[in-house]
């Protein structure tokens, strides 16, 4: 039984290592910021997530103690990685892409990078009279 537990922990560590390696390779090899943005976010979520799952399994199944640290770190990573990627992409668009180059938004308002969002209920977009 202990061999299966160790094999499961090793599996998650190998998966984490592979995703960390692929993310690092993508960060070095991809050409521009928008392409490079994809690689480290995947490496963070899946790579670090694999290490954290392996650590949770180790402490729960071998040390027979429950550790919430890894769970809290996992939740923090899953919350912060998409938000930071969104801000990096938004900053890239604002600094390097003109508004004319972007596709239509299919809504009454344009891109949030260039247009302010409505702050009052009466500002519900252009009225069609």
């Amino acid at each position: 039984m202990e061999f299966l537990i160790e094999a499961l922990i090793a599996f998650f560590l190998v998966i984490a290592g592979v995703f960390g390696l692929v993310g690092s390779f993508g960060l070095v090899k991809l050409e521009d910021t928008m392409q490079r943005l994809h690689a480290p976010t995947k490496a963070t979520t899946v790579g670090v997530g694999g290490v954290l799952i392996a650590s949770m399994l180790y402490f729960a199944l071998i040390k027979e103690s429950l550790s919430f640290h890894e769970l809290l770190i996992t939740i923090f990573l899953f919350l912060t990685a998409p938000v930071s990627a969104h801000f990096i992409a938004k900053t890239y668009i604002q600094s390097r892409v003109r508004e004319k180059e972007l596709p239509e938004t299919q809504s009454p308002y344009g891109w949030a990078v260039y247009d302010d969002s409505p702050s009052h209920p009466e500002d519900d977009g252009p009225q069609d009279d």
Side-chain angles (χ1 to χ4, degrees):
M1 184 67 181
E2 190 167 317
F3 174 75
L4 289 176
I5 294 170
E6 290 175 355
L8 185 65
I9 293 170
F11 171 75
F12 280 110
L13 288 175
V14 168
I15 290 294
V18 167
F19 271 90
L21 180 66
V22 169
S24 301
F25 185 74
L27 187 64
V28 172
K29 281 300 200 180
L30 294 176
E31 294 177 6
D32 68 359
T33 302
M34 295 301 275
Q35 291 177 341
R36 273 187 247 145
L37 183 63
H38 186 70
T41 54
K42 298 303 173 237
T44 300
T45 53
V46 180
V48 176
V51 171
L52 292 170
I53 290 171
S55 178
M56 283 190 281
L57 290 174
Y58 174 77
F59 281 107
L61 300 175
I62 293 181
K63 293 290 185 178
E64 296 180 357
S65 67
L66 191 58
S67 174
F68 288 105
H69 297 108
E70 292 88 356
L71 181 64
L72 293 174
I73 293 169
T74 303
I75 291 170
F76 179 76
L77 282 176
F78 281 127
L79 290 176
T80 58
V83 172
S84 61
H86 174 75
F87 282 120
I88 291 170
K90 197 171 181 177
T91 303
Y92 177 83
I93 288 173
Q94 189 171 18
S95 65
R96 300 204 179 178
V97 179
R98 293 184 183 154
E99 188 174 3
K100 294 180 209 174
E101 299 172 5
L102 296 172
E104 293 294 323
T105 60
Q106 306 298 324
S107 73
Y109 299 102
W111 287 80
V113 172
Y114 299 106
D115 295 334
D116 289 334
S117 62
S119 58
H120 301 290
E122 60 268 8
D123 292 341
D124 287 338
Q127 301 294 321
D128 296 330
D129 291 324

